[in-house]
Amino acid sequence: MALTKIDDRGVTYPLDLLDNEKIRFGTGNDLQIYHNNNENYVDCTNSNPLFIQSDLTYLMSEDGNEHYIKATKDGAVELYYDNVKTFATTTNGA
């Protein structure tokens, strides 16, 4: 692990990890974030749910140019195929 610097503010420079090294959270390391050279993981190793909290959430391509899913608080959830919206929820359903 190539850790640059930790002080009273926390990590003050990028935290660089090599392949297969994990950032682990929780007493039993229940949540892990890691990369294995081919794939990227956010791994919940227990039966508890994983929450992502935001008023506006996008799931996008790596370069940010293509949408997959957009979810808006008090609004629609939109699904995209090849960057074209193909399905959306509305007040009355879908």
Side-chain angles (χ1 to χ4, degrees), residues 3-84:
L3 178 60
T4 308
K5 183 179 179 184
I6 296 179
D7 64 17
D8 59 343
R9 295 173 292 163
V11 177
T12 58
Y13 293 99
L15 174 64
D16 298 323
L17 301 174
L18 301 174
D19 290 343
N20 298 307
E21 291 183 350
K22 299 178 180 183
I23 298 174
R24 300 183 302 189
F25 302 89
T27 303
N29 299 322
D30 299 359
L31 175 64
Q32 303 176 6
I33 301 173
Y34 59 96
H35 168 75
N36 73 1
N37 194 40
N38 296 312
E39 300 159 327
N40 304 295
Y41 291 89
V42 175
D43 188 355
C44 297
T45 60
N46 57 28
S47 59
N48 294 332
L50 172 67
F51 293 93
I52 299 173
Q53 294 179 262
S54 174
D55 288 348
L56 180 59
T57 303
Y58 291 92
L59 183 59
M60 304 174 70
S61 61
E62 179 272 333
D63 61 9
N65 291 326
E66 189 165 336
H67 291 82
Y68 305 143
I69 298 172
K70 176 184 175 186
T72 306
K73 179 182 178 181
D74 299 326
V77 173
E78 302 170 355
L79 303 179
Y80 292 79
Y81 178 83
D82 198 18
N83 212 32
V84 175

